[in-house]
Amino acid sequence: MLGGGGAHGAYQAGVLRGIARRRPDVHFEILTGISAGAVNVIHFAAHEGPFASATEWMAGLWAGLTPDQVFDVRGLPLMKNMFRWGARLASGGIGTGAEPMRGMVDTQPLRRFLTHSLVPDADGTIAGIARNIGRGTLGAVALTATSYGTHRSMTWVQGRDLQLWQRPSRRSSAVKLTVEHVMASSALPMLFPAIRIGDEWYGDGGIRLTSPLSPALHLGATHVITISTRYSRTTAEAASPQVAGYPPPAQVLGSLYNAVFLDMIDEDVTRMRMINRLLDAVPDGRWDGMRKVEIMVIRPSQDLGLLARDYEARLPAFVKYLLRGLGTKDTTSPDLLSLVLFQRDYLERLIAIGEADGEAHAEQVAQFVHTVN
């Protein structure tokens, strides 16, 4: 299960490459992803080669990524969009035209990038996924997005022998996955525009999915590995303020996105471990349909947000200007900046950290996965 985090998705790709270099025999039957994790999951599911080859391909895609392949970085379009947002806010929406305000940036470049890398068929479906399912190397792949119309989580699933689910706050649907599903799952709230699929508009999957592990559990997983992008801070680090004085918008938005992408995963992991301990104390015959689910979490050995400060200066000029206007220079750990820092040298650094962490956990991962078999 791969969660969100924007540019931090490069770290996930690095971890998987590090694991594959040490243990190329590792195999994952069920893949679920949210936001940046959806980008990684779809590429992993579509690749028809062995595990090591898939991870090399994914890491190579991240290493070659630049900001202009994710969103339109040109100054004039960005400035026009900012002025439209400002005019709408200042006028109360009066006289600003019928066209609704969409994201702060245009993500057509990301759609082109995904189309080029995934090479969908004429109907938009990604043939590699169906072939991997057909040959039995993949059981199911699931991507989650948030419906802005109904406020429910939607999980799109492609696989075999599916058991779909329906809850008041979340539901699933069997589909043939396309680039649009990836775009919807990774549409960062406010920053990226929502994506229309069918009659509904969707945004980032982390917004409403309060149980990020649930799609994997519904699909039958008994052992789940998740690659978090949250650095585990010491008590002293956690208690140290990251800003002096009133928090700038960048700090507020960074806290919001951390809550969306990281807090819910950690809470879900904690909840699952508590349930496991409770089940250990109850005789097997009285579990009432519940089951134990073993969880393994891999975390970065360095603070990925803190590292972003070293690379911000090389962003496209107007993008840097706008981010500094939000106050990214006024915080010691610019988490918002790190989410949108699709800068090649920063991404390469995240991949390298991920590789080292993946190699360090490779034997543990292999033992964990092989325990399932």
Side-chain angles (χ1 to χ4, degrees):
M1 181 271 163
L2 299 181
H8 294 183
Y11 171 79
Q12 297 173 342
V15 169
L16 290 170
R17 182 158 75 172
I19 293 169
R21 285 181 171 175
R22 289 281 300 275
R23 293 302 302 257
D25 56 328
V26 166
H27 173 70
F28 302 104
E29 170 120 3
I30 298 169
L31 305 172
T32 71
I34 304 168
S35 195
V39 175
N40 283 330
V41 158
I42 201 73
H43 282 93
F44 197 68
H47 193 276
E48 298 183 61
F51 176 49
S53 174
T55 60
E56 288 292 337
W57 178 52
M58 284 169 50
L61 289 173
W62 278 102
L65 199 60
T66 54
D68 61 340
Q69 291 176 294
V70 181
F71 54 86
D72 192 340
V73 301
R74 294 175 298 162
L76 185 58
L78 284 171
M79 188 178 297
K80 285 182 177 179
N81 210 19
M82 295 306 105
F83 276 124
R84 282 198 295 268
W85 275 78
R88 190 173 186 89
L89 289 171
S91 66
I94 299 173
T96 55
E99 178 67 18
M101 294 306 301
R102 301 181 186 271
M104 291 185 180
V105 298
D106 178 6
T107 53
Q108 275 298 115
L110 177 59
R111 180 179 279 106
R112 289 193 292 269
F113 173 82
L114 293 172
T115 301
H116 177 75
S117 62
L118 294 169
V119 194
D121 289 342
D123 62 355
T125 59
I126 301 164
I129 297 176
R131 285 195 286 265
N132 284 333
I133 293 171
R135 65 169 62 100
T137 57
L138 176 65
V141 55
L143 308 182
T144 300
T146 301
S147 169
Y148 286 130
T150 64
H151 303 299
R152 293 205 295 176
S153 287
M154 164 62 86
T155 299
W156 295 294
V157 189
Q158 185 171 349
R160 60 177 186 270
D161 303 325
L162 298 177
Q163 296 288 329
L164 299 179
W165 59 95
Q166 183 93 353
R167 301 287 188 276
S169 62
R170 61 182 188 266
R171 63 192 180 100
S172 62
S173 177
V175 301
K176 291 184 177 180
L177 292 167
T178 69
V179 166
E180 293 307 294
H181 294 107
V182 188
M183 290 290 294
S185 181
S186 57
L188 291 167
M190 302 300 291
L191 291 177
F192 291 1
I195 303 298
R196 184 172 183 175
I197 297 179
D199 295 328
E200 295 188 56
W201 291 90
Y202 293 93
D204 196 286
I207 301 173
R208 290 287 295 167
L209 188 59
T210 55
S211 299
L213 301 178
S214 62
L217 305 189
H218 283 298
L219 292 170
T222 59
H223 290 63
V224 178
I225 294 178
T226 182
I227 303 173
S228 174
T229 58
R230 183 197 291 280
Y231 168 69
S232 184
R233 296 187 292 171
T234 65
T235 302
E237 288 172 328
S240 177
Q242 297 174 352
V243 294
Y246 193 83
Q251 185 71 14
V252 176
L253 288 172
S255 297
L256 172 64
Y257 285 134
N258 281 342
V260 169
F261 298 129
L262 303 177
D263 291 354
M264 290 184 183
I265 292 177
D266 283 348
E267 290 174 8
D268 208 15
V269 168
T270 300
R271 184 164 51 243
M272 288 304 307
R273 287 174 172 166
M274 289 178 63
I275 292 173
N276 286 342
R277 288 196 296 270
L278 288 172
L279 292 178
D280 281 337
V282 176
D284 291 0
R286 300 180 63 184
W287 285 10
D288 194 26
M290 300 179 70
R291 70 177 189 274
K292 289 183 62 176
V293 178
E294 301 299 331
I295 308 292
M296 179 177 176
V297 183
I298 299 176
R299 299 183 185 278
S301 54
Q302 300 182 48
D303 189 330
L304 307 184
L306 194 63
L307 293 173
R309 295 183 301 173
D310 299 335
Y311 300 91
E312 181 257 4
R314 290 183 284 279
L315 274 171
F318 199 75
V319 175
K320 179 170 59 179
Y321 171 79
L322 291 176
L323 288 171
R324 287 183 174 180
L326 290 172
T328 54
K329 295 289 285 184
D330 301 326
T331 173
T332 59
S333 184
D335 291 331
L336 175 65
L337 170 65
S338 71
L339 293 178
V340 297
L341 193 60
F342 297 97
Q343 194 71 19
R344 184 170 293 177
D345 46 4
Y346 178 63
L347 298 177
E348 289 175 345
R349 179 79 178 277
L350 298 191
I351 292 169
I353 295 170
E355 284 180 23
D357 292 347
E359 289 187 12
H361 288 87
E363 295 303 323
Q364 184 183 359
V365 169
Q367 182 178 1
F368 186 84
V369 171
H370 292 159
T371 299
V372 183
N373 300 324

